[in-house]
Amino acid sequence: MKSNNYVVIMAGGVGSRFWPVSRTNFPKQFIDILGTGKTLIQQTYDRFKDICPSENIFFVTNENYREIIKEQLPDVIDDNILGEPVMRNTAPCIAYACHKISKINSDACIVVAPSDHLILQEEVFKNNIRESLELAAKEDVLITLGIVPSRPDTGYGYIQYNNVVVENSFYKVKTFTEKPDLELAKTFIASGDFLWNAGIFVWNMNTILAAFNKYLPEMNEVFSEGKVYYNSAREIDFIKTAYTRCKNISIDYGVMEKAENVYVRPSDFGWSDLGTWASVYDVKKDKDYVGNVVIDSNKVMMYDSANCIVRTPSEKLVILQGLDGYIVVEEDDVLMICKKSEEQEVKQIVADVKQKFGEKYI
């Protein structure tokens, strides 16, 4: 029996906050950031193979990363790798994937998820996804997974929900708020009706295409025109033109914040978006007795140093003395030493390096 469940994995980001390990030509989703033996995109793919057949898993990525995906996931067929000619945020990438899948199966129920997130409790996650797919198959709803917050984090978007419940575990969304300041985040946590926005969505084909048609009609029309080209040799040329006609907008701003039929599933499955080196530090369990984390090296020696995260070439001897709360990362021709507390400056550092030295180190 043909499965109606499909997964779209978004894998086009450049991961600039993981510089210098993550570079434009080889970003973080293709790197074993955690030192587990598998890259983030490989872990994501393996996770979803229990949700639907592997032939129903699609990737949307920068056209330049197509060969990397084929190398890291050799059993993924070419037609399931959707190459974007330019970055246009998440709404165009999701519209493209949904219209392409619609030509294959108009009854599809679709999970959309990033390629570079950490899920520690995978069985809980899979159960949440299956419950969401079951609801999406029979109701006209746009579902998002919201993470039960553990702290007033200013790096995440927040979802507020009310007490209108469907199927016991799904609540009607009231508001979306992008990255609040600390005081507002504290208020959100205290209220008890806010969740972190994980950027994971579930819906059926008719519902999402109707939403695109209502809230982003010009974009929907662009990708509707591609119906005769999808899954053919002319698809790539069509997409090159289509993306020039799409505005840069996220699915959150373009659809989810406007729609009335949005529901959230409160979830707690050990989630992290792994957005920064400090987030990797937080999730690593193998810290030493003074809180240091060393990834992929047994040649790091520390003296009077604590609460650091170190990722350097395995063959290099590294000695640290007198550091507390630092990120020490070396990759190829770049060494970065940065305070964990100031790691949000990494994006600015990358911009400064690009301005001074061009693309060589980016």
Side-chain angles (χ1 to χ4, degrees):
M1 179 179 175
K2 184 177 181 180
S3 173
N4 288 334
N5 292 342
Y6 288 75
V7 173
V8 174
I9 297 173
M10 299 180 290
V14 296
S16 60
R17 287 181 294 177
F18 274 101
W19 186 83
V21 173
S22 178
R23 307 283 183 103
T24 302
N25 63 349
F26 206 86
K28 73 163 181 170
Q29 60 267 31
F30 306 118
I31 298 169
D32 180 9
I33 290 284
L34 297 169
T36 63
K38 287 190 175 182
T39 67
L40 295 177
I41 199 170
Q42 288 172 330
Q43 292 182 50
T44 302
Y45 178 63
D46 288 348
R47 187 178 302 134
F48 281 115
K49 284 196 294 186
D50 285 342
I51 300 297
C52 68
S54 57
E55 62 266 24
N56 288 10
I57 301 177
F58 288 74
F59 296 83
V60 189
T61 189
N62 187 299
E63 183 64 43
N64 295 330
Y65 304 151
R66 183 185 292 272
E67 293 303 317
I68 303 176
I69 291 179
K70 290 169 66 174
E71 180 181 336
Q72 294 198 357
L73 301 170
D75 56 335
V76 174
I77 62 175
D78 286 358
D79 271 351
N80 286 26
I81 304 173
L82 286 61
E84 296 183 289
V86 291
M87 294 179 68
R88 283 291 187 268
N89 217 312
T90 53
C93 107
I94 291 171
Y96 174 18
C98 288
H99 276 280
K100 179 180 170 79
I101 293 170
S102 176
K103 185 174 180 180
I104 301 168
N105 184 350
S106 60
D107 295 321
C109 288
I110 302 172
V111 182
V112 178
S115 61
D116 52 4
H117 288 186
L118 173 69
I119 307 293
L120 292 175
Q121 299 173 40
E122 298 215 346
E123 290 308 313
V124 176
F125 171 79
K126 292 172 189 175
N127 286 337
N128 287 177
I129 293 292
R130 291 187 184 103
E131 291 170 1
S132 301
L133 284 166
E134 288 172 7
L135 179 60
K138 59 187 179 183
E139 299 287 348
D140 175 25
V141 290
L142 302 170
I143 300 167
T144 182
L145 298 190
I147 307 302
V148 177
S150 59
R151 60 188 182 277
D153 200 302
T154 60
Y156 297 142
Y158 284 74
I159 301 169
Q160 183 184 24
Y161 62 96
N162 61 26
N163 58 3
V164 178
V165 63
V166 176
E167 298 280 329
N168 297 320
S169 300
F170 297 85
Y171 295 83
K172 199 170 193 317
V173 170
K174 189 174 180 180
T175 63
F176 286 87
T177 304
E178 274 300 304
K179 300 178 180 178
D181 61 32
L182 183 58
E183 288 308 309
L184 188 55
K186 288 179 179 178
T187 302
F188 287 171
I189 300 300
S191 75
D193 58 358
F194 281 82
L195 304 164
W196 287 337
N197 186 350
I200 301 169
F201 310 101
V202 184
W203 41 55
N204 69 54
M205 185 63 73
N206 289 335
T207 302
I208 186 58
L209 293 187
F212 270 111
N213 189 52
K214 183 175 182 179
Y215 302 111
L216 292 171
E218 296 90 355
M219 185 180 297
N220 191 62
E221 183 178 354
V222 167
F223 289 104
S224 294
E225 293 170 3
K227 189 170 184 178
V228 296
Y229 304 114
Y230 297 134
N231 309 306
S232 76
R234 300 172 66 189
E235 179 177 335
I236 291 176
D237 288 337
F238 166 76
I239 288 300
K240 287 178 181 177
T241 302
Y243 265 69
T244 65
R245 299 164 59 194
C246 291
K247 61 182 175 180
N248 188 323
I249 189 169
S250 71
I251 194 70
D252 299 87
Y253 282 126
V255 174
M256 302 298 283
E257 294 184 16
K258 299 174 182 176
E260 296 293 326
N261 56 336
V262 180
Y263 286 78
V264 63
R265 205 298 183 190
S267 304
D268 188 3
F269 39 69
W271 171 88
S272 171
D273 72 345
L274 292 180
T276 63
W277 285 112
S279 66
V280 172
Y281 175 87
D282 289 341
V283 301
K284 291 291 286 184
K285 302 300 183 185
D286 52 346
K287 299 178 176 70
D288 68 16
Y289 72 102
V290 288
N292 293 310
V293 170
V294 177
I295 300 174
D296 281 352
S297 178
N298 59 3
K299 294 183 180 179
V300 177
M301 301 174 66
M302 298 195 189
Y303 300 88
D304 192 28
S305 295
N307 307 307
C308 295
I309 178 168
V310 183
R311 191 184 193 277
T312 54
S314 58
E315 70 278 4
K316 177 163 286 191
L317 174 62
V318 176
I319 294 107
L320 304 183
Q321 196 279 331
L323 296 185
D324 190 347
Y326 273 79
I327 301 163
V328 180
V329 182
E330 181 178 358
E331 184 75 10
D332 297 331
D333 47 7
V334 178
L335 168 65
M336 184 185 75
I337 303 171
C338 171
K339 287 183 179 179
K340 283 213 311 290
S341 61
E342 298 179 16
E343 69 163 354
Q344 295 299 332
E345 298 299 317
V346 171
K347 290 189 81 168
Q348 184 58 51
I349 291 170
V350 173
D352 293 344
V353 169
K354 183 176 180 180
Q355 183 178 19
K356 187 168 184 177
F357 298 105
E359 300 285 345
K360 178 180 179 182
Y361 300 104
I362 308 302

